[in-house]
Amino acid sequence: MGRKLTYCLLGLMTLVGCSEERQSFNYRGLTLSMPASQWVDSMVARGFAVDSAASDSGQTVVLAKQGVKYRVIAACQDNKLQAVQETYSLSTNDSTRRMWQELRDGLEKELGAWPDCPMLKDDHKIANFDASDGFISVILENTYKPTLKVLYRTK
């Protein structure tokens, strides 16, 4: 199970990585400059379902997919994506710490940039990357329940 999650994350890092050919900031191959409704439709086409109970009348859309260890939250304003966040809920502090480090190292290599790390404690770590048209933050919080978030924000 851990290896499957690692391969999933490595795939994410490959898609997120900056390249000279890429024209715009994207989330798993979907450009964040497309209209929010079209982006959500694309996620639904990939097998995600909108959690209408957790979504907020067009401002926030929550997507989930069975068999995937994270939920996707998209913040929108006037049909424009503002941010996309993956939230992972894992079972142990060690697994989230290890995954945070793997994500950070992978993004550093793919983006060719050192992250700004304003917080580097054992159970709370943040790595911020400046990537083309947006920012990517990898956030670890292990206060009561191990949580790992990957946040994509447009500039």
Side-chain angles (χ1 to χ4, degrees):
M1 182 166 96
R3 287 185 181 197
K4 288 181 182 178
L5 192 53
T6 300
Y7 289 124
C8 176
L9 293 172
L10 290 173
L12 166 70
M13 290 182 281
T14 300
L15 290 173
V16 171
C18 285
S19 71
E20 294 176 6
E21 297 174 11
R22 194 177 82 199
Q23 297 299 317
S24 63
F25 189 51
N26 70 72
Y27 167 78
R28 294 189 179 242
L30 296 175
T31 181
L32 295 179
S33 62
M34 73 171 64
S37 57
Q38 182 182 358
W39 188 89
V40 170
D41 289 343
S42 296
M43 289 296 288
V44 169
R46 290 178 175 197
F48 282 82
V50 175
D51 182 348
S52 57
S55 298
D56 176 23
S57 66
Q59 299 295 318
T60 305
V61 179
V62 179
L63 300 145
K65 182 177 180 179
Q66 191 168 354
V68 176
K69 298 261 184 222
Y70 60 89
R71 293 172 62 100
V72 177
I73 303 166
C76 323
Q77 185 174 19
D78 299 325
N79 202 29
K80 183 178 179 191
L81 283 168
Q82 302 296 312
V84 173
Q85 176 179 293
E86 287 181 342
T87 302
Y88 295 82
S89 293
L90 302 168
S91 59
T92 67
N93 288 341
D94 288 339
S95 62
T96 54
R97 285 184 197 119
R98 184 174 39 256
M99 186 182 293
W100 182 90
Q101 190 65 48
E102 289 171 1
L103 280 169
R104 181 204 172 276
D105 292 347
L107 285 168
E108 181 180 306
K109 184 176 180 180
E110 290 295 323
L111 298 172
W114 289 89
D116 173 34
C117 295
M119 178 75 66
L120 281 175
K121 296 181 179 179
D122 282 344
D123 290 332
H124 191 180
K125 299 179 183 199
I126 301 171
N128 297 315
F129 292 90
D130 189 347
S132 66
D133 298 334
F135 301 98
I136 302 171
S137 297
V138 183
I139 305 163
L140 171 68
E141 297 173 309
N142 280 339
T143 308
Y144 299 106
K145 180 181 175 186
T147 305
L148 179 66
K149 300 174 188 171
V150 182
L151 176 65
Y152 300 78
R153 292 172 289 138
T154 58
K155 286 185 180 177

